[in-house]
Amino acid sequence: NTPIKHNSMKTLDEKIVDSSLIRRKTIIAFSSFFIFILACVLGWKWLQSRPKEAGALQPLRGVLNFNEKLFTGLISNNHLAKTYPLSAAAPQVRRNGDEGMSDGFDPAAWKLQLVRNPGDTLYIGIDEIKALPKTDIVFDFKCIEGWSQVTHWAGVRFSDFVKKYGLDAQSQLKYVGMHTPDNAYYVGIDTKSILHPQTILCYEMNGQPLPMNQGAPLRLIIPVKYGVKHIKRIGTIYFSNQRPPDYWYERGYDYFGGL
Ligand SMILES: Nc1nc2c(c(=O)[nH]1)N[C@H]1C(S)=C(S)[C@@H](COP(=O)(O)O)O[C@H]1N2
Ligand SMILES: [Mo]
């Protein structure tokens, strides 16, 4: 151990480390790195070997289920999605997702099928729905693909629809299911979220009748959820204690879809 002279001003006492110590440290560093990589590979292989549950590997589905429990407990009707002034609404509204929007659909012949009980279905025309109290909302529409857009929608609050059609007993059930007239797109929604004051059966966008590709004559707008749940071109609405099938849940997303 000899003092090293760095410059004319300072003299430092540095320890000369012997090379066996360096070698030992190097070996430790490399082996811990190797063990880490091995753990990653084995962990990944294990994950891939798990069975799938509703389109998601079982351990991942477990995490989704856990989050879901957490957030279903949190949502309340006092918690409102942020709203914006009319001037903030985009004039050109993005369009996304065409499942269940098959050709040959005639909006003039459309009736909403409201299944009050098995074997008890009401057929409701769009004019009846437009006659109910109208609510509008400007909010930030969020898609799980990563985009969002402030947009303006109007229609009847689902809770007003429930009052009008005497669905009090039905809305005690846990879920509401909806599907397109061709059954190709479908969602299941917890009743608490469907009765949220910002959830609307929507027939207008930017003060104009809903365009066809945006879900005419009737779509769901549910600001407490991601875009996937805002089903366009609703054909049928029903209530159930069992989870209704859900298009994107079956493809690996979480069922709740809450924000
Ligand atoms: N019938 C139907 N509704 C749907 C979809 C779809 O594929 N089919 N896609 C959903 C998704 S993922 C999003 S982001 C929104 C997009 O609504 P927009 O086309 O009005 O922007 O619709 C939702 N509703
Ligand atoms: Mo989406």
Side-chain angles (χ1 to χ4, degrees):
N1 291 2
T2 42
I4 297 169
K5 225 177 151 101
H6 279 266
N7 54 42
S8 54
M9 305 297 290
K10 282 187 271 178
T11 308
L12 284 179
D13 230 348
E14 287 185 357
K15 221 170 114 198
I16 304 296
V17 185
D18 68 81
S19 56
S20 71
L21 184 60
I22 294 178
R23 204 176 312 122
R24 213 170 68 223
K25 290 205 167 185
T26 310
I27 290 169
I28 290 172
F30 271 97
S31 10
S32 20
F33 180 68
F34 176 74
I35 289 167
F36 171 73
I37 295 296
L38 188 71
C40 289
V41 171
L42 291 179
W44 179 251
K45 286 210 159 152
W46 173 79
L47 192 59
Q48 296 303 317
S49 73
R50 295 299 94 191
K52 282 203 172 186
E53 185 185 325
L57 293 163
Q58 201 278 327
L60 301 183
R61 177 57 70 194
V63 175
L64 291 178
N65 288 344
F66 173 77
N67 286 344
E68 210 170 284
K69 279 219 183 73
L70 204 68
F71 288 105
T72 324
L74 285 181
I75 167 158
S76 101
N77 286 351
N78 307 321
H79 179 98
L80 296 181
K82 186 176 186 316
T83 56
Y84 296 78
L86 259 183
S87 59
Q92 291 291 339
V93 180
R94 252 183 112 137
R95 218 200 90 243
N96 195 46
D98 286 323
E99 300 301 328
M101 311 284 286
S102 42
D103 299 338
F105 170 73
D106 178 9
W110 174 93
K111 295 251 183 205
L112 174 66
Q113 300 194 24
L114 172 62
V115 184
R116 289 192 294 187
N117 286 297
D120 170 18
T121 299
L122 275 185
Y123 294 81
I124 305 169
I126 195 68
D127 292 337
E128 280 182 70
I129 292 170
K130 286 185 175 168
L132 299 176
K134 184 163 152 185
T135 310
D136 70 341
I137 186 165
V138 181
F139 78 106
D140 197 11
F141 188 111
K142 296 188 176 79
C143 171
I144 41 174
E145 287 168 358
W147 55 268
S148 82
Q149 192 181 36
V150 175
T151 43
H152 177 211
W153 311 88
V156 58
R157 275 202 181 98
F158 200 92
S159 57
D160 288 338
F161 177 81
V162 161
K163 271 184 221 147
K164 160 77 181 175
Y165 292 100
L167 304 169
D168 295 317
Q170 287 81 345
S171 50
Q172 299 299 311
L173 303 184
K174 288 187 190 146
Y175 300 98
V176 175
M178 298 188 188
H179 53 80
T180 52
D182 64 1
N183 294 330
Y185 196 76
Y186 37 93
V187 295
I189 293 166
D190 54 285
T191 311
K192 213 167 169 181
S193 300
I194 209 85
L195 296 177
H196 185 278
Q198 291 175 315
T199 300
I200 60 183
L201 288 173
C202 163
Y203 49 78
E204 268 183 27
M205 188 184 84
N206 286 343
Q208 299 295 317
L210 203 56
M212 273 294 265
N213 55 21
Q214 231 105 18
L218 195 69
R219 77 174 298 170
L220 187 65
I221 287 293
I222 181 160
V224 295
K225 304 270 187 202
Y226 275 106
V228 286
K229 297 288 185 181
H230 300 229
I231 180 174
K232 299 187 278 194
R233 195 186 285 180
I234 303 170
T236 302
I237 301 180
Y238 61 100
F239 299 80
S240 170
N241 260 333
Q242 273 74 50
R243 278 186 172 182
D246 187 273
Y247 186 90
W248 283 108
Y249 173 71
E250 289 169 5
R251 284 154 185 81
Y253 287 89
D254 88 304
Y255 194 87
F256 190 56
L259 278 162

Coordinates of all heavy atoms in Angstrom, one line a residue, residues 219-247:
R219 N -77.2 3.6 -28.1 CA -75.9 3.0 -27.5 C -75.9 3.3 -26.1 O -76.6 4.1 -25.6 CB -74.7 3.6 -28.2 CG -74.4 5.0 -27.8 CD -73.1 5.5 -28.3 NE -71.9 4.7 -27.9 CZ -70.7 4.9 -28.5 NH1 -70.5 5.8 -29.4 NH2 -69.7 4.2 -28.1
L220 N -74.9 2.7 -25.4 CA -74.7 3.0 -24.0 C -73.5 4.0 -23.9 O -72.5 3.9 -24.6 CB -74.3 1.7 -23.3 CG -74.2 1.8 -21.7 CD1 -75.6 2.2 -21.1 CD2 -73.7 0.6 -21.1
I221 N -73.7 5.0 -23.0 CA -72.6 5.9 -22.6 C -72.5 5.7 -21.1 O -73.5 5.9 -20.3 CB -72.9 7.3 -23.0 CG1 -72.7 7.5 -24.5 CG2 -72.0 8.3 -22.2 CD1 -71.3 7.3 -25.1
I222 N -71.3 5.2 -20.7 CA -71.1 4.9 -19.2 C -69.8 5.4 -18.8 O -68.8 4.7 -18.8 CB -71.4 3.4 -19.0 CG1 -71.2 3.0 -17.5 CG2 -70.6 2.5 -19.9 CD1 -71.9 1.7 -17.1
P223 N -69.7 6.7 -18.5 CA -68.4 7.4 -18.2 C -67.5 6.7 -17.1 O -66.3 7.0 -17.1 CB -68.8 8.8 -17.9 CG -70.1 9.0 -18.5 CD -70.8 7.7 -18.4
V224 N -68.1 5.9 -16.2 CA -67.3 5.3 -15.2 C -66.6 4.1 -15.7 O -65.9 3.4 -14.9 CB -68.1 4.9 -13.9 CG1 -68.7 6.2 -13.2 CG2 -69.3 4.0 -14.2
K225 N -66.8 3.8 -17.0 CA -66.1 2.6 -17.6 C -65.3 2.9 -18.8 O -65.5 3.9 -19.5 CB -67.2 1.5 -18.0 CG -68.1 1.1 -16.9 CD -67.6 -0.1 -16.2 CE -68.7 -0.6 -15.2 NZ -68.1 -1.4 -14.2
Y226 N -64.4 2.0 -19.2 CA -63.6 2.2 -20.4 C -64.6 2.0 -21.6 O -65.7 1.4 -21.5 CB -62.5 1.1 -20.5 CG -61.3 1.5 -19.8 CD1 -60.9 1.0 -18.5 CD2 -60.5 2.5 -20.4 CE1 -59.8 1.4 -17.9 CE2 -59.3 2.9 -19.7 CZ -59.0 2.4 -18.5 OH -57.8 2.8 -17.9
G227 N -64.1 2.4 -22.8 CA -64.9 2.4 -24.0 C -65.5 1.0 -24.4 O -66.6 1.0 -24.9
V228 N -64.8 -0.1 -24.1 CA -65.3 -1.4 -24.4 C -66.8 -1.6 -23.9 O -67.5 -2.4 -24.5 CB -64.5 -2.5 -23.8 CG1 -63.2 -2.7 -24.6 CG2 -64.2 -2.3 -22.3
K229 N -67.1 -1.0 -22.8 CA -68.4 -1.2 -22.2 C -69.5 -0.3 -22.8 O -70.7 -0.5 -22.6 CB -68.4 -1.0 -20.7 CG -67.5 -1.9 -19.9 CD -68.1 -3.3 -19.8 CE -67.2 -4.2 -19.0 NZ -67.7 -5.6 -18.9
H230 N -69.1 0.7 -23.6 CA -70.1 1.6 -24.2 C -70.7 1.0 -25.5 O -70.4 1.4 -26.6 CB -69.4 3.0 -24.6 CG -68.8 3.7 -23.4 ND1 -69.1 5.0 -23.2 CD2 -68.0 3.3 -22.4 CE1 -68.4 5.4 -22.1 NE2 -67.7 4.4 -21.6
I231 N -71.4 -0.1 -25.3 CA -71.9 -0.8 -26.5 C -72.8 0.0 -27.4 O -73.6 0.8 -27.0 CB -72.7 -2.1 -26.0 CG1 -73.2 -2.9 -27.2 CG2 -73.8 -1.7 -25.1 CD1 -73.9 -4.2 -26.8
K232 N -72.4 -0.1 -28.7 CA -73.2 0.6 -29.8 C -74.2 -0.3 -30.3 O -74.1 -1.5 -30.3 CB -72.2 1.0 -30.9 CG -71.1 1.9 -30.4 CD -70.2 2.4 -31.6 CE -69.2 1.4 -32.0 NZ -68.1 2.1 -32.8
R233 N -75.3 0.3 -30.8 CA -76.4 -0.5 -31.4 C -77.0 -1.5 -30.5 O -76.9 -2.8 -30.7 CB -76.0 -1.1 -32.8 CG -77.2 -1.6 -33.6 CD -76.7 -2.3 -34.8 NE -76.2 -1.5 -35.9 CZ -75.8 -1.9 -37.0 NH1 -75.8 -3.2 -37.3 NH2 -75.3 -1.1 -37.9
I234 N -77.5 -1.1 -29.4 CA -78.1 -2.0 -28.4 C -79.3 -2.7 -29.0 O -80.2 -2.0 -29.5 CB -78.5 -1.3 -27.1 CG1 -77.3 -0.5 -26.5 CG2 -79.1 -2.3 -26.1 CD1 -77.7 0.4 -25.3
G235 N -79.4 -4.0 -28.9 CA -80.6 -4.7 -29.4 C -81.4 -5.2 -28.2 O -82.6 -5.0 -28.2
T236 N -80.8 -5.7 -27.2 CA -81.5 -6.3 -26.1 C -80.8 -5.9 -24.7 O -79.6 -5.8 -24.7 CB -81.4 -7.9 -26.2 OG1 -82.0 -8.2 -27.4 CG2 -82.2 -8.6 -25.1
I237 N -81.7 -5.7 -23.8 CA -81.2 -5.4 -22.4 C -81.9 -6.4 -21.5 O -83.1 -6.7 -21.6 CB -81.6 -4.0 -21.9 CG1 -81.0 -2.9 -22.9 CG2 -81.2 -3.7 -20.5 CD1 -81.3 -1.5 -22.5
Y238 N -81.1 -7.0 -20.6 CA -81.7 -8.0 -19.6 C -80.9 -7.9 -18.3 O -79.9 -7.3 -18.2 CB -81.7 -9.4 -20.2 CG -80.3 -9.9 -20.4 CD1 -79.6 -10.8 -19.5 CD2 -79.6 -9.6 -21.6 CE1 -78.4 -11.3 -19.8 CE2 -78.3 -10.1 -21.9 CZ -77.7 -10.9 -21.0 OH -76.4 -11.4 -21.2
F239 N -81.5 -8.5 -17.3 CA -80.9 -8.4 -15.9 C -80.6 -9.8 -15.4 O -81.4 -10.7 -15.7 CB -81.9 -7.7 -15.0 CG -82.2 -6.3 -15.4 CD1 -83.2 -6.0 -16.4 CD2 -81.6 -5.2 -14.8 CE1 -83.5 -4.7 -16.8 CE2 -81.9 -3.9 -15.1 CZ -82.8 -3.7 -16.2
S240 N -79.6 -9.9 -14.6 CA -79.2 -11.3 -14.1 C -78.4 -11.2 -12.9 O -77.6 -10.3 -12.7 CB -78.5 -12.0 -15.3 OG -78.0 -13.2 -14.8
N241 N -78.4 -12.3 -12.1 CA -77.5 -12.4 -11.0 C -76.2 -13.1 -11.4 O -75.2 -13.0 -10.7 CB -78.1 -13.2 -9.8 CG -78.7 -12.3 -8.7 OD1 -78.1 -11.2 -8.6 ND2 -79.7 -12.7 -8.0
Q242 N -76.3 -13.8 -12.6 CA -75.0 -14.3 -13.1 C -74.4 -13.3 -14.1 O -75.1 -12.5 -14.7 CB -75.4 -15.6 -13.9 CG -75.4 -16.9 -13.1 CD -76.7 -16.9 -12.2 OE1 -77.8 -16.7 -12.7 NE2 -76.5 -17.1 -10.9
R243 N -73.1 -13.4 -14.2 CA -72.4 -12.5 -15.1 C -72.8 -12.8 -16.5 O -72.6 -13.9 -17.0 CB -70.9 -12.8 -15.0 CG -70.3 -12.1 -13.8 CD -68.8 -12.3 -14.0 NE -68.1 -11.5 -13.0 CZ -66.8 -11.4 -12.9 NH1 -66.0 -12.2 -13.7 NH2 -66.2 -10.6 -12.0
P244 N -73.4 -11.8 -17.2 CA -73.7 -11.9 -18.6 C -72.4 -12.1 -19.4 O -71.3 -11.6 -18.9 CB -74.4 -10.6 -18.9 CG -74.8 -10.0 -17.7 CD -73.8 -10.4 -16.6
P245 N -72.4 -12.8 -20.5 CA -71.2 -12.9 -21.3 C -70.7 -11.5 -21.7 O -71.5 -10.6 -21.9 CB -71.6 -13.7 -22.5 CG -73.1 -13.7 -22.5 CD -73.6 -13.4 -21.1
D246 N -69.4 -11.3 -21.8 CA -68.8 -10.0 -22.2 C -67.7 -10.2 -23.2 O -66.8 -11.0 -23.0 CB -68.3 -9.4 -20.9 CG -67.8 -7.9 -21.2 OD1 -66.6 -7.8 -21.6 OD2 -68.6 -7.0 -21.0
Y247 N -67.9 -9.6 -24.3 CA -67.0 -9.8 -25.5 C -65.5 -9.6 -25.2 O -64.7 -10.5 -25.5 CB -67.4 -8.8 -26.6 CG -66.6 -8.9 -27.9 CD1 -67.1 -9.8 -28.9 CD2 -65.5 -8.3 -28.1 CE1 -66.5 -10.0 -30.1 CE2 -64.8 -8.4 -29.3 CZ -65.3 -9.3 -30.3 OH -64.6 -9.4 -31.5

